Amino acid sequence: MGEEEVKVLGVWGSPFSTRVEIALKLKGIPYDSIEEEDLHGNKSELLLKSNPVHKKIPVFFHAGKPIAESLVIIEYIDETWKANPILPHDPYQRALARFWAKFVDEQCMPAIGKVFYGDDKAVKEAHDCLKILENELEGKRLFGGETIGLVDIAASFIGYWMGLLQEVGAVKLLTNEKYPKLCKWSEEFVSIVKEYLPPRDRLLPHIKARFEAIHASK
């Protein structure tokens, strides 16, 4: 790799890989994508070597050095390239952004994931998470205020992938009746980063096939 070369090892259609790509594109940083072909079988030597602890994508390479975990990568990107900041400058606001991003990652996404995998017991937990996010949007256009921030990027699964999952037959968690602010945020978020997201016409059949395979095996 060149001295300042930027690469992203990921999987097409993954919300976690897309997080990193959104951050890079918002900042106008050119990068190359490396596709990890098989996450469920033979993981590549590059993935195992560059992320030996979790053995997961994405992995970000800058000047030949690997960094793992999407939220950690986004903070690195934000600290390295100062233009178009993703985290607030104020230390308190930065801490809040980290808190909410962690809440999305550690509580919301696992609960929502369990529901879509067919665990009806997780429905209440998922709704509790969505209600908290709905309240956090009070008086805000985006979680980051007027511009896309760390929490918006962290919640991109809720903003984009969740609607597609619901469309293919998954449990309807996010509805305008229950969560009008969150639905409005979703529309706003997607309108801003649409060109950075996996195209809907390609992603929808991909999600449908995966959803049907999961539920056929039950």
Side-chain angles (χ1 to χ4, degrees), residues 17-126:
S17 297
T18 303
R19 283 176 173 181
V20 175
E21 296 191 38
I22 289 172
L24 289 167
K25 287 172 179 174
L26 285 172
K27 286 181 170 284
I29 302 163
Y31 66 95
D32 291 323
S33 294
I34 309 169
E35 192 79 5
E36 179 68 20
E37 296 293 339
D38 187 3
L39 281 179
H40 305 287
N42 298 315
K43 296 183 179 182
S44 71
E45 185 178 337
L46 178 61
L47 176 58
L48 297 176
K49 181 181 177 182
S50 55
N51 188 5
V53 176
H54 299 299
K55 304 178 178 66
K56 293 180 179 179
I57 54 93
V59 180
F60 179 78
F61 298 91
H62 181 215
K65 297 176 182 177
I67 302 168
E69 296 295 302
S70 59
L71 296 181
V72 174
I73 293 167
I74 292 168
E75 288 212 42
Y76 175 85
I77 290 169
D78 201 42
E79 290 170 2
T80 305
W81 291 274
K82 303 297 185 182
N84 304 322
I86 292 168
L87 277 90
H89 176 72
D90 177 74
Y92 177 69
Q93 294 301 323
R94 288 173 73 87
L96 287 181
R98 291 187 181 108
F99 171 85
W100 285 111
K102 190 175 181 181
F103 172 72
V104 168
D105 245 18
E106 296 184 1
Q107 290 182 245
C108 298
M109 288 189 65
I112 293 166
K114 283 187 278 187
V115 173
F116 289 137
Y117 273 89
D119 183 355
D120 294 337
K121 295 177 182 177
V123 171
K124 183 184 182 301
E125 183 185 353

Side-chain angles (χ1 to χ4, degrees), residues 5 7 36 40 97 99 109 117 154-155 157 167 186 190 211 215:
E5 197 168 6
K7 292 182 180 288
E36 179 68 20
H40 305 287
F99 171 85
M109 288 189 65
Y117 273 89
F157 174 81
E167 193 172 325
S186 173
V190 171
F211 179 79
H215 287 268

Side-chain angles (χ1 to χ4, degrees), residues 112 115-116 120 123 126-127 130 162-179 211:
I112 293 166
V115 173
F116 289 137
D120 294 337
V123 171
H127 276 301
L130 293 175
M162 200 166 163
L164 299 180
L165 272 164
Q166 293 184 161
E167 193 172 325
V168 302
V171 177
K172 301 291 190 291
L173 290 174
L174 183 61
T175 64
N176 197 55
E177 291 73 29
K178 282 182 177 290
Y179 308 108
F211 179 79

